[in-house]
Amino acid sequence: MNKQSRLTTYILIGLAIGIITGYVANTNLANPTGFADTMALITTLFLRLIKMIIAPLVFSTLVCGIAKMGDATAVGRVGVKTLGWFFIASVMSLSLGLILVNIFRPGDALLGHMAATAAKADLATSSLTLKDFVTHLVPSSIVDGMAKNEILQIVIFSLFFGSAAAAIGQKANVLIEALEGVAHVMLKVTGYVMMFAPFAVFAAVAGTIAKSGLGVLSTYGVFMAEFYFGIALLWALLIFIGFLFLKGRVFALMKEMRSPALLAFSTASSEAAYPKTLEGLERFGVRNRIASFVLPIGYSFNLDGSMMYCTFATVFIAQAYGIEMSLGQQLTMMAVLMLTSKGMAGVPRASLVVIAATLGQFNIPEAGMLLLLGIDHFLDMARSATNVIGNGIATAVVAKWEGEMDPPKEAA
């Protein structure tokens, strides 16, 4: 059994034991919330270890990828293809969520049970205006951007830095070789950090179940089942579109994405899976200069699962309050979400923040967010795994378009 298979197996074991432990803690402990807080320390430690890796890994791999492409024309060509794919995937994800929520109408079951007064959901909705997004796009200090793990800002700086390195040619060779060394070291560090992944998965699931109980799954069972059905449909669409370009190799890609997707699902964090996704793509045959260019941009612009959830959840809340949104309003909302969802990867509880901001713009009570807070962890698990799959397929397709695909490498 290779390392990838072992990690996947251990994560699954951690997930199963976490569910059992959480249930036992919830039903037997006098203070299950205290147990959940203790478990949260383990999860937080793991996610901080991952975040420790992200900035140097994204910067070093992206700069090297751009510098190896050579001229600005190649960078621009790949960038246009990448953003074109991301736009189509975004429209597809948002549209699917909108169609399914109108077919299933999950909010109707809560009609008449919602409080008329709007409670606060404790989310900073004002931070996602278009003006703030544009000004937030460019870092005032790259050191500050890296310290806060603002992936979008790191990407912007890396684009300029890598393009400048390519422009000056041989004078930058020593620097690029040094950054390649940094990238390899960070991938080795990733291997060390990943040894803690099964424990983090166990702690995340055990803590959530201990605090909320298994009842949280059954209370919103129908909503969760319909959302997970939508996620399954989105996976099928993404894989089908990937098949059109990659043919049978798309299934080998899904095999490589299995471990990072499971990690993202278990920890409810796309960010946690970034290093393993990059490794999996390179094993699949995507050349480093494409993988290290497309993937970081995808983490800001191509969050397919999160975008589908945004339309699904927003209309769900409107339905729960008996607010009927016209087709025009829903299409306008989709356009708003297309903009406000970009760059959400660096925002804590990102999808909830985006939804809360959207609710206010369409006069839907923000108190509706409270409907989702109890089960958001379980919904975020599906969103995060889908984001990984969507970015994996996008990167492989762009590599295919560019003729930057090698035969698959043997797994270690």
Side-chain angles (χ1 to χ4, degrees):
M1 187 184 293
N2 61 45
K3 290 181 181 179
Q4 298 307 309
S5 298
R6 283 200 299 270
L7 180 63
T8 302
T9 302
Y10 294 150
I11 288 174
L12 284 172
I13 292 170
L15 185 63
I17 297 175
I19 293 172
I20 296 168
T21 304
Y23 173 72
V24 171
N26 178 260
T27 54
N28 292 280
L29 293 182
N31 182 23
T33 302
F35 174 81
D37 291 341
T38 302
M39 291 293 100
L41 292 176
I42 301 173
T43 307
T44 301
L45 175 63
F46 176 73
L47 291 178
R48 288 180 72 88
L49 285 170
I50 288 291
K51 289 178 179 180
M52 174 184 76
I53 298 167
I54 296 295
L57 185 60
V58 169
F59 175 70
S60 58
T61 54
L62 185 52
V63 169
C64 291
I66 294 169
K68 288 178 182 177
M69 282 187 199
D71 57 19
T73 304
V75 174
R77 185 181 67 247
V78 175
V80 167
K81 290 177 179 178
T82 299
L83 293 177
W85 175 276
F86 290 167
F87 176 79
I88 293 169
S90 297
V91 171
M92 184 179 72
S93 303
L94 290 165
S95 301
L96 181 61
L98 210 56
I99 291 167
L100 291 178
V101 76
N102 280 287
I103 293 173
F104 292 135
R105 298 194 63 85
D108 288 351
L110 296 171
L111 193 58
H113 296 282
M114 298 301 299
T117 56
K120 290 293 180 184
D122 193 28
L123 292 168
T125 62
S126 62
S127 64
L128 284 171
T129 65
L130 180 59
K131 177 184 176 183
D132 286 339
F133 168 71
V134 172
T135 54
H136 184 71
L137 195 65
V138 181
S140 56
S141 165
I142 187 56
V143 176
D144 180 61
M146 286 186 168
K148 294 178 179 177
N149 261 347
E150 297 283 2
I151 290 185
L152 194 54
Q153 294 187 4
I154 298 171
V155 166
I156 294 296
F157 179 79
S158 300
L159 286 171
F160 279 97
F161 195 96
S163 298
I168 64 175
Q170 291 185 348
K171 292 181 180 179
N173 286 350
V174 174
L175 178 60
I176 298 304
E177 286 178 9
L179 286 175
E180 276 190 301
V182 170
H184 287 298
V185 169
M186 294 315 300
L187 288 173
K188 191 66 176 177
V189 172
T190 298
Y192 297 148
V193 171
M194 284 302 152
M195 290 191 288
F196 294 97
F199 302 100
V201 169
F202 160 78
V205 176
T208 303
I209 298 290
K211 186 175 183 178
S212 305
L214 287 175
V216 73
L217 300 179
S218 59
T219 303
Y220 293 95
V222 174
F223 176 83
M224 290 180 63
E226 289 169 352
F227 176 68
Y228 270 75
F229 173 75
I231 287 291
L233 273 184
L234 182 55
W235 278 44
L237 282 171
L238 289 170
I239 293 171
F240 173 72
I241 297 173
F243 179 81
L244 296 179
F245 295 95
L246 304 173
K247 306 305 180 187
R249 285 196 68 184
V250 74
F251 301 110
L253 176 63
M254 289 301 98
K255 187 176 179 181
E256 290 292 350
M257 292 296 101
R258 182 177 57 191
S259 180
L262 179 59
L263 183 61
F265 179 84
S266 304
T267 59
S269 170
S270 307
E271 202 173 59
Y274 176 86
K276 301 302 290 183
T277 305
L278 185 62
E279 286 182 0
L281 285 166
E282 292 186 9
R283 273 197 308 275
F284 173 69
V286 177
R287 291 178 190 166
N288 176 267
R289 68 180 190 171
I290 295 294
S292 59
F293 177 79
V294 177
L295 194 59
I297 300 175
Y299 264 67
S300 290
F301 288 94
N302 191 46
L303 302 174
D304 297 325
S306 297
M307 283 184 286
M308 193 196 105
Y309 177 67
C310 285
T311 48
F312 195 92
T314 304
V315 178
F316 162 73
I317 294 169
Q319 291 169 355
Y321 280 99
I323 299 171
E324 289 297 329
M325 299 181 70
S326 67
L327 178 62
Q329 287 176 315
Q330 292 191 33
L331 291 176
T332 302
M333 179 194 70
M334 196 173 89
V336 169
L337 287 168
M338 174 72 79
L339 292 173
T340 56
S341 63
K342 303 311 176 191
M344 72 162 94
V347 182
R349 298 161 79 191
S351 296
L352 291 177
V353 176
V354 171
I355 293 167
T358 306
L359 292 174
Q361 295 180 52
F362 290 89
N363 298 316
I364 303 169
E366 189 187 320
M369 287 303 307
L370 302 175
L371 287 170
L372 302 171
L373 292 179
I375 57 169
D376 185 67
H377 178 82
F378 300 100
L379 301 172
D380 201 14
M381 292 164 76
R383 299 195 300 260
S384 299
T386 306
N387 295 340
V388 169
I389 294 296
N391 280 319
I393 292 174
T395 306
V397 169
V398 172
K400 179 75 172 178
W401 283 344
E402 284 293 301
E404 297 281 350
M405 188 85 78
D406 293 324
K409 300 174 184 177
E410 290 294 323

